[in-house]
Every structure is written in C-alpha cells, then in structure tokens.
Amino acid sequence: MKKFNLSLVAVLAMSTFAIAGGDIAPVEPMVETPMVVEQSSAGFYVGMGYGALDAEVDPDNSWTRESDTYDEFLLLAGYKFNEYVAVEGRYWFGDENTVDFYRNGVIAGTQDISFDSWGLYVKPMYPVTDSINVYALLGYGAVSLDYGYDDTDFGDNDGFSWGAGADYSINENFAVFVDYVSLYDDDHNLGTYGSADVTVETVNVGVTYKF
C-alpha cells in the first residue's frame, strides 16, 4: 500500500511538470537601479573682481577734457533661478583721479574726479557647454560723479544699464568671469556750469561662489 501511494505521488508530480512544459524557469535576482539625482542650478551666489572703468565727461561749452581710466573694485550678489536666468546686483568703488581740463585747446587746470557706481540687473544666460556660459545684463545703473569745481558733488547719473560677458565654471561652486558693462551714457546737468555728455563703461574680471 505504501509503495502504491509513493508511485501515485510520483505520477502526479510528473504529470504536473508535463503540463507546465517540463521546464522550471530560473528565478532571476532583483537588481535595483540607482536613482540619479541631478543637482539643481538654482541658488544664491556672491562674487568679487576688478574693473577698469573708463569715463568721458565732455562739457557742452569751451571746456573739454580727455577720457580717463579708473581702477575699480567690484562686489556682486545674485540669485540664479535656473540655468537660463538670474538677478544680480553690483557695486563698484575705487580711487579718484586727477585729470586735466582744457579750454579752447589749452590746459586750464586740474580736477580730482571720483566715481561710485552700482547696478541692478536681470541676467539672461545660455550654457554653451557644461562649463561655459554666456550672458547679458539688462537693468538700471547709477554713477555718483564727483568732479565739480571747489569739490562740488554733482550727484547721480542714473538710467538704463546693460552688459555682456561669459563665465567658466571651475567646479560646482566656483566660476571665473569676464564682462563689459555700460553704466551710463547720457547728458548730465552741471548746474551753473552748463551740461556735459557723460559716458561711463567698465570691463571686469572676477570670481563667483555659488552656495
């Protein structure tokens, strides 16, 4: 009886394998695919640099002067929304220059002239490669111009300001940049001395740090 039972179990088992095709599919191990998390390009950043500021002040009368270049230091801070747009604020400051004024082509005296500049910008950007970006600066700038006779401060020159440049990312945090910014290009009222055509522009190199 026991032999009959064992034989019956064997027959049933063989029938089951036959119905299933006679094959037992191997159990494949589960492989977990690691999730790749891309680092967001958004965030705050700060920077500093050097600017060579060129200023032309041409009075609308017989007084004239040549353009002068000033050594300016640059501080900046901004927020990057994504890889295509940011907002940025800049501040330039530096030493004053002693310049010559001419009247009817003859030197007539000297003046100490200093510039203090700032700007607020929308910054459109385009990633040329993974490391190189080109960008524009579009916004509002002001130049505090102190070049008056008897140390008179003729106040701010403000208006539309624009620029263009490029940066190179050294790593995830640090980048170096070079750009050009037109800070002011318009007439300026000199009070009792008439008016002047004032043009202020700067070329900058520096480094930024993204938090």
Side-chain angles (χ1 to χ4, degrees), residues 18-57:
I19 295 172
D23 294 328
I24 301 177
V27 179
E28 297 183 0
M30 295 181 61
V31 179
E32 295 185 0
T33 303
M35 295 180 61
V36 179
V37 179
E38 294 184 1
Q39 185 176 0
S40 173
S41 59
F44 290 98
Y45 62 91
V46 295
M48 61 185 301
Y50 164 81
L53 185 147
D54 182 76
E56 294 185 9
V57 182

Side-chain angles (χ1 to χ4, degrees), residues 115 118 140-147 154-159 183-189 196 198 200:
F115 288 89
W118 59 268
Y140 178 85
V143 180
S144 180
L145 176 61
D146 183 3
Y147 65 98
F154 288 105
D156 289 341
N157 303 265
D158 55 7
L183 282 165
Y184 186 83
D185 187 2
D186 206 346
D187 289 335
H188 180 68
N189 186 7
V198 179
V200 182

